[in-house]
Amino acid sequence: VGVVLVFGEQGESGNTSSASSSSNISVKSVSVSDISSVEVHNQYGSYVISADTSESEDAESDASSSSESGSTSSGDEELSWILEGIDERIPLDDEVIAGIPEAAAAVTAQRRLSDSADALADYGLDNPEITVKVTLKDGEEYTISIGSETSIASGRYIHVSGDDAVYLSQSGYEETFDTSAAYFAELVIVSALEESSTYSRYFSSGELIGFDSIRLSGSIYPQEVVLEFDPDNSLLAYLVTAPIQDYASETVAVEVLSPLSGSLYAAETYVLSPDAATLSEYGFDAPTSVIEYTIKDVHLTVTVGKSDGEGYYAVMIDDIPAIYKVSESNLSFAMYSTDELYYTSILAEAIGDIQSLTFKTPDNEYRFELEHTSTTTTDENGDTQTTT
């Protein structure tokens, strides 16, 4: 039975069908640009990806204008797709979304197994694990059904409506469609702030080192902690202004700033548009840590929920209704204790305030009088800075 299911039935000559020996059989092929929508049903539920008609209308208008002016278009303009029913605040990965209609437009197989539609049940295709309904812009439809796994060959049994045959798919073909809608969320969840004249005072040698304020709260902070940046401070530019005012650790302050200085990545997306029960399940009713950043007109909030116990935390960004899975190694900036945020030196004096130094040994005493000089510089914005 296994041989028949995987390699096909023998013909009168005693040989398997000639198509069965091919390693790349075209089962269905249409132009991606002709697809209007793709509807996928799988173990995670369903989703619909449709062509962005506003983009195509603009392209047709541009093509018409080009034709009237005597110029031609290459016809290779990039297609745009919409994942329907998703909150517009959730950033999506357009390239990943585009992979669905591309895979649905060209179906290839390793082998042709049976020419009888009556055999669908033998291959798990009477109740397929995955169905992909494709609607073309001219109204034509076809459905790709993906059935059982094979036990002695890679690939899945597949059937395309309008063709009675059952095929063995290319290895991994089903993986493209076996995802939830959350799979299409962008995984760069915070992008690094780029240097410009607007943010020049926050950068040094191309690196983001400054901010207006950073507020830290959550279960790991008994009281809210506030960090500030003062580039004109001659001693230490980083300050803790609450709960107790003192200097902040420069190393830790720069690390806390890391999501905006170097981006923040998620491993995957747990849930899109979570309800109150789901937010509680992932720990957002009592978050581990909440970091609020302000850099001029940039405002960012990173909220860290519950750990899964396997090295990942649930994370939310601003008011985006999505819960992301982020590695604990990427969240060190959000896990510092209050004590670690403070500068650890027991004595800190600005060099400009020191007039003399005295060193004593058992036999001698040495005294050095310090003479201070100042240098004033002016940046491109006309701001001056004096260094002692």
Side-chain angles (χ1 to χ4, degrees):
V1 172
V3 171
V4 171
L5 290 178
V6 176
F7 295 103
E9 299 178 3
Q10 291 185 334
E12 293 181 1
S13 63
N15 297 319
T16 57
S17 65
S18 60
S20 70
S21 62
S22 172
S23 61
N24 190 17
I25 304 169
S26 178
V27 179
K28 186 73 176 182
S29 180
V30 300
S31 172
V32 180
S33 61
D34 290 337
I35 292 179
S36 174
S37 68
V38 179
E39 181 178 344
V40 177
H41 295 264
N42 57 34
Q43 61 178 316
Y44 303 102
S46 63
Y47 59 82
V48 177
I49 293 174
S50 59
D52 187 346
T53 55
S54 63
E55 293 283 343
S56 61
E57 288 171 1
D58 290 342
E60 289 176 5
S61 177
D62 292 341
S64 176
S65 299
S66 298
S67 176
E68 291 174 2
S69 64
S71 61
T72 58
S73 170
S74 65
D76 293 330
E77 64 273 3
E78 186 176 347
L79 299 172
S80 182
W81 303 93
I82 297 172
L83 181 60
E84 295 185 6
I86 302 301
D87 192 298
E88 61 182 10
R89 291 172 293 175
I90 301 173
L92 301 175
D93 191 322
D94 294 335
E95 291 187 7
V96 177
I97 292 174
I100 298 299
E102 289 171 3
V107 185
T108 60
Q110 300 181 57
R111 291 181 178 277
R112 184 187 184 101
L113 303 177
S114 171
D115 289 327
S116 174
D118 296 333
L120 294 181
D122 295 336
Y123 300 94
L125 290 166
D126 56 335
N127 184 24
E129 294 184 13
I130 301 171
T131 60
V132 182
K133 179 182 177 182
V134 182
T135 302
L136 303 182
K137 292 176 180 177
D138 63 4
E140 180 188 347
E141 296 179 350
Y142 63 91
T143 299
I144 305 165
S145 299
I146 301 176
S148 306
E149 289 184 276
T150 67
S151 59
I152 57 176
S154 61
R156 292 286 192 101
Y157 302 120
I158 61 172
H159 173 261
V160 177
S161 59
D163 183 344
D164 288 340
V166 174
Y167 297 87
L168 179 64
S169 74
Q170 298 290 354
S171 178
Y173 179 69
E174 77 286 350
E175 295 174 4
T176 302
F177 304 106
D178 197 22
T179 61
S180 69
Y183 177 73
F184 302 104
E186 175 63 66
L187 297 182
V188 181
I189 58 178
V190 178
S191 296
L193 183 65
E194 295 183 3
E195 184 175 9
S196 67
S197 59
T198 303
Y199 308 110
S200 60
R201 74 183 297 268
Y202 305 100
F203 282 81
S204 177
S205 302
E207 298 293 329
L208 179 67
I209 62 167
F211 49 87
D212 291 320
S213 72
I214 298 177
R215 295 180 175 272
L216 304 98
S217 59
S219 63
I220 66 174
Y221 299 103
Q223 296 174 279
E224 182 182 71
V225 180
V226 180
L227 300 178
E228 293 184 4
F229 174 67
D230 181 8
D232 298 325
N233 191 308
S234 59
L235 183 59
L236 290 170
Y238 299 97
L239 307 171
V240 179
T241 59
I244 299 174
Q245 186 163 328
D246 203 341
Y247 291 112
S249 166
E250 178 179 351
T251 302
V252 174
V254 171
E255 173 63 20
V256 171
L257 189 60
S258 63
L260 282 168
S261 63
S263 301
L264 178 61
Y265 299 83
E268 61 180 79
T269 305
Y270 281 129
V271 183
L272 299 183
S273 300
D275 57 19
T278 304
L279 290 172
S280 178
E281 177 187 349
Y282 283 92
F284 292 102
D285 51 347
T288 301
S289 178
V290 180
I291 317 288
E292 300 172 72
Y293 300 87
T294 300
I295 302 178
K296 209 175 179 70
D297 57 349
V298 175
H299 301 278
L300 169 69
T301 300
V302 178
T303 305
V304 181
K306 186 185 296 183
S307 168
D308 66 355
E310 297 181 357
Y312 293 91
Y313 278 84
V315 173
M316 297 188 74
I317 304 298
D318 292 331
D319 63 346
I320 297 172
I323 301 176
Y324 300 97
K325 178 181 179 180
V326 181
S327 170
E328 184 176 2
S329 62
N330 291 342
L331 292 172
S332 57
F333 70 90
M335 300 300 179
Y336 285 104
S337 68
T338 301
D339 290 344
E340 291 174 314
L341 295 168
Y342 283 97
Y343 187 62
T344 56
S345 175
I346 61 173
L347 176 65
E349 294 291 344
I351 188 67
D353 296 335
I354 299 177
Q355 295 182 346
S356 65
L357 295 173
T358 301
F359 297 89
K360 291 183 179 181
T361 70
D363 301 320
N364 295 290
E365 180 175 305
Y366 304 93
R367 181 181 176 84
F368 298 89
E369 298 293 335
L370 301 185
E371 180 180 345
H372 300 283
T373 59
S374 299
T375 302
T376 301
T377 58
T378 303
D379 62 21
E380 60 182 10
N381 297 321
D383 297 327
T384 60
Q385 182 177 2
T386 302
T387 305
T388 300

